[in-house]
Every structure is written in C-alpha cells, then in structure tokens.
Amino acid sequence: MPFEINEIHPTIIGSYPDADIDFALKTNINEQRMNLAQASYVSVTKISSGSSNWAITESAGTTEAVIDLDITIPLKSLVETFSDDWVELDKSGIVESAEETTQTVKDVKKESVLTLIEEIRKTKTIPYSEQIADRLYQLNEDVLEEYPENDLILPDSLSDYYRFLKINTNLSFPSISITSNGNIWVQWEQTVNHHFSIEFEGQGEVVFVAFAPDRYIPSKTNRASGIGTIYSVKDLIESSNVGDWVLIKDKAA
Amino acid sequence: MSNPSIPDTNHISRYCRPSKVDGETPQPPAFQLREEKGEDYLSVDWLEFLKEFKGGCDAAAITEALRKRGLKVSKGGRHAVFNVGDLRSYVKKRVPKKRMLDVRHVPRHEEDSHSGVYNYNHEESNFIAVLISQAIKEVLKP
C-alpha cells in the first residue's frame, strides 16, 4: 500500500558496516495505514550507490522479521533531506507525489536487480565479476520467464551477495542458482563429500551447508548446516575445512 | 497417511526450473520445500506408473504429465530422475538418526503420476536438498 513519506518521523536505529549504502530508521508510521499489525519500523536501503532508488522494507519489529519488500519509490527528496541531517527531519521537503509512487514494485525490483548486477560487473576487486554478472543476468531472465506473474530475484538477497563478494575477494567461481522465494544460492561442490553452499536470505543472514573431510580422520566426512551472517561466512569457511575448493588457491592464505 | 509407498525398485522424476539448473546439473534449490507455500513434501512423478498408464516414461511423457497438471515446462529446465531405493538409502546414510525419506503416490486425479518425497521439513530443507541433488541418477531434457 503506497504511503506518503511525510508520515515517517525517523531516527537512526542502526547501520551496516558499509553504511554509506544502507541504514535503518525507526518510525512512528501509522500501523493501520501500513496494513501490518506489528510494523514498528521500516528499514531504508539504497539500492546502489549510483541509484536514486531506495527500498523501504516493512519489518515486524526485530531483525529476525520476515523481509517483505512492500514499496520501493524514487526518493530523491528523501535522500536530499536525509543526507544533510536525516535525524531531524523536515517533513515539508519529502512529500512524494502520487505519480512517483505509481511505478510498480515489480518494475523497480527488476531495475534494482539489474543495477546491482551491473555494480557487481564493475567491481573489479571481485574475482570473476564479469562471469558472475553474466550468470546473474541469465538467471534473472530465467526467473522472469518462469514466474511472470510474481517472483523475481529478491534485491535484498542480491544486495547481500554483492556485499559478501566485496568482503570475500578470494572465492573461486561458484555455481549460482535461485531459490523459489527469489534468494541467491551459491555453491562450490568438488565431490559429494566436498560441498559448501550458501543461501542469502536478506538482512545479512545466510543459511549454509558444508560437507568436508574430517581434519583428523580424513576418510570420514563432516556434514553441517546452520545459519550465519554474510560477515561470519569467512570464519565458517575456515572452521568447516572447505577452503581447499572454495577459495582461489593462490589467494587462500 | 493413506497414500501408498512407491517400491524401492521404481523411479521418480522432479522437474527443475531453468533458474535451478546450472549447465546440465539441477541445483539444490530445485529440491527445497517451498516454505511460502507450506509444502510438506517434494512433488515428483512416478515413472513406472506413467509407463503403465501412459505407455511411456521418457522425457516427453513426463513433460506431458506435468503440463496436464498446469505446470509450465521450459526448454531450459531439466527432469532429474531418481531410483527410489537409492535416493532413500543415500540420504539415510548421511543424516542424523539414519532417518528415511518416504516416497508416496499422491494422485490428484485418476491416472495421475503425481507423487511426493516425505519426511523432511523446512528447517532442514537446505541440508536435505543438497543430499537429494547428489542422488540424481539421470538428467533428461524436456
């Protein structure tokens, strides 16, 4: 349901390490108007550093809430206002017109996904950035064909994958696919006993699966699954003994 | 559960959409339970049933059965084929407590090959999906 930005009275409640692209705002947004009984804050995420599109995501009050991209609008005025002093919000400067909110969520999500893919392509510190971008572009086309009526690659998941790639610049090229709910899934599988996969669930969270030879009894295979964050995967790769086939050989150290 | 189990000697197939296939290889997301749809089993087709009632269990017969159920089948998708017994024992050996998957016939109408892989849940869906992807016997083009 579209809403006017002048109904948001935000204060900063958190940021990500690379806070130049993301931040979260606490609001007193009208719950009924948002049509979400438990909505107590929204997070505001800049789709990319080069874009004026910001995603406003309803949450149910905690970081464990299910992400549900409710509305995405070009928020030039919001950016301008917030970039100077977005704690003390001047309501008069950030009213969005009805026309600006008529772009469908799907259109903006698609645009966001394509923008993010190009960001990945341009980030030369990411190994295989061109190949990864090409694969993601193809997957986006596949998903658009498969689910023309609803699902797309989720920008939040793709954004997490992009941040993950920027943090971990020593990864070999993975298999990439898309889950039914639009999340990015990447995996490295050398044999059935040498497997590491990550599903990017958004909000910085991941679900991982790791199969690897035991360090002490190599004829045995350890198998584990769990949850983590895009920042802790680096430690998981080390502790799960999967680095041999996940990391680029000369960059493993 | 009143649906009959499919014998271990028989075979099943799972249609994997293009976004869940890398090259020719179906990826684990093709075998996740869809939480948003509340799935409690993985939809598959029973190939021996197809052969008996439709006269064939090749890729074309599988594709036709799926389309009759209203599923969109793309050229870029793949049918992942499993031997029921091999799938069950492969997963059993690699999960805690040696739990067995259960494969049952779940027809939605008469002469429907629709079946389900049971006995895993959303919390462990990624782990089991990886194991299922490793137990594929054959991959067919639609």
Side-chain angles (χ1 to χ4, degrees):
Chain A
M1 171 187 262
F3 58 92
E4 290 184 342
I5 301 307
N6 65 352
E7 295 193 0
I8 302 176
H9 306 270
T11 53
I12 307 169
I13 59 168
S15 64
Y16 297 102
D18 41 353
D20 59 330
I21 57 167
D22 286 329
F23 59 85
L25 305 171
K26 187 175 184 179
T27 80
N28 65 346
I29 198 157
N30 182 299
E31 290 179 8
Q32 289 177 333
R33 192 174 171 79
M34 290 287 286
N35 198 26
L36 244 190
Q38 292 184 310
S40 61
Y41 74 79
V42 295
S43 66
V44 179
T45 308
K46 196 170 186 180
I47 297 303
S48 75
S49 56
S51 166
S52 60
N53 291 326
W54 295 64
I56 292 190
T57 307
E58 291 181 1
S59 298
T62 74
T63 54
E64 294 174 358
V66 174
I67 299 166
D68 184 5
L69 190 67
D70 178 70
I71 186 169
T72 305
I73 37 185
L75 292 174
K76 282 182 184 172
S77 55
L78 183 63
V79 175
E80 286 162 7
T81 304
F82 285 175
S83 61
D84 291 329
D85 185 359
W86 35 279
V87 179
E88 294 178 19
L89 181 63
D90 176 4
K91 288 195 291 181
S92 62
I94 56 167
V95 179
E96 287 289 331
S97 69
E99 290 76 24
E100 285 177 298
T101 60
T102 53
Q103 189 177 18
T104 66
V105 171
K106 183 168 180 173
D107 284 345
V108 177
K109 283 169 84 174
K110 181 182 175 185
E111 187 182 311
S112 305
V113 166
L114 293 175
T115 303
L116 278 165
I117 291 172
E118 290 313 309
E119 290 284 332
I120 291 172
R121 188 188 303 281
K122 286 188 293 188
T123 307
K124 296 306 175 192
T125 52
I126 299 173
Y128 311 106
S129 58
E130 286 275 347
Q131 294 96 317
I132 290 171
D134 287 346
R135 174 63 177 152
L136 290 169
Y137 186 84
Q138 180 58 52
L139 287 166
N140 193 48
E141 293 291 304
D142 290 342
V143 172
L144 289 170
E145 187 199 334
E146 291 165 24
Y147 306 100
E149 71 291 349
N150 47 26
D151 298 40
L152 292 169
I153 294 178
L154 288 179
D156 199 27
S157 176
L158 182 56
S159 175
D160 275 359
Y161 181 41
Y162 179 34
R163 261 188 289 177
F164 169 80
L165 288 170
K166 287 195 288 184
I167 296 165
N168 297 281
T169 56
N170 56 351
L171 301 172
S172 56
F173 186 65
S175 294
I176 310 173
S177 51
I178 308 297
T179 69
S180 292
N181 55 5
N183 288 337
I184 303 288
W185 174 294
V186 297
Q187 75 172 44
W188 297 262
E189 188 170 278
Q190 194 176 56
T191 72
V192 293
N193 294 330
H194 297 73
H195 173 99
F196 188 62
S197 55
I198 309 167
E199 178 180 353
F200 293 88
E201 295 216 306
Q203 285 199 321
E205 294 182 357
V206 300
V207 178
F208 70 92
V209 177
F211 300 167
D214 187 87
R215 287 182 201 275
Y216 307 100
I217 311 175
S219 60
K220 300 282 187 185
T221 301
N222 294 328
R223 294 184 179 82
S225 178
I227 59 173
T229 69
I230 56 172
Y231 306 105
S232 62
V233 171
K234 188 182 285 189
D235 302 328
L236 285 169
I237 290 171
E238 169 65 25
S239 62
S240 304
N241 200 25
V242 300
D244 279 355
W245 65 97
V246 170
L247 303 178
I248 298 171
K249 288 284 181 282
D250 60 350
K251 294 180 91 173
Chain B
M1 201 180 297
S2 58
N3 301 92
S5 287
I6 296 176
D8 277 349
T9 53
N10 283 199
H11 299 79
I12 53 173
S13 69
R14 164 77 176 174
Y15 174 64
C16 308
R17 294 176 184 272
S19 63
K20 295 162 183 55
V21 175
D22 188 21
E24 293 295 314
T25 310
Q27 300 293 297
F31 311 108
Q32 287 176 303
L33 297 177
R34 289 180 294 185
E35 192 168 8
E36 71 277 11
K37 298 203 170 181
E39 287 181 342
D40 59 357
Y41 65 87
L42 185 74
S43 281
V44 293
D45 283 86
W46 181 7
L47 301 191
E48 278 73 9
F49 184 94
L50 262 183
K51 191 172 185 180
E52 184 175 344
F53 288 91
K54 305 292 180 187
C57 62
D58 56 3
I62 301 167
T63 300
E64 187 187 343
L66 291 167
R67 286 183 174 149
K68 275 191 174 174
R69 286 206 301 273
L71 217 74
K72 184 178 177 181
V73 179
S74 306
K75 283 182 181 174
R78 293 290 181 270
H79 300 298
V81 177
F82 302 86
N83 170 270
V84 172
D86 290 347
L87 170 66
R88 297 174 71 225
S89 65
Y90 187 85
V91 174
K92 178 189 172 186
K93 286 175 189 168
R94 291 163 178 81
V95 296
K97 311 291 184 192
K98 308 293 181 202
R99 185 157 38 89
M100 286 287 262
L101 296 179
D102 199 7
V103 185
R104 293 178 175 271
H105 189 207
V106 194
R108 290 169 175 171
H109 57 78
E110 204 175 343
E111 299 185 2
D112 183 9
S113 57
H114 181 254
S115 303
V117 179
Y118 289 85
N119 210 16
Y120 69 113
N121 57 41
H122 298 288
E123 286 70 32
E124 59 187 356
S125 181
N126 286 16
F127 186 83
I128 301 291
V130 170
L131 290 175
I132 292 175
S133 75
Q134 294 181 340
I136 295 171
K137 183 183 174 69
E138 190 179 2
V139 177
L140 303 175
K141 290 182 182 177

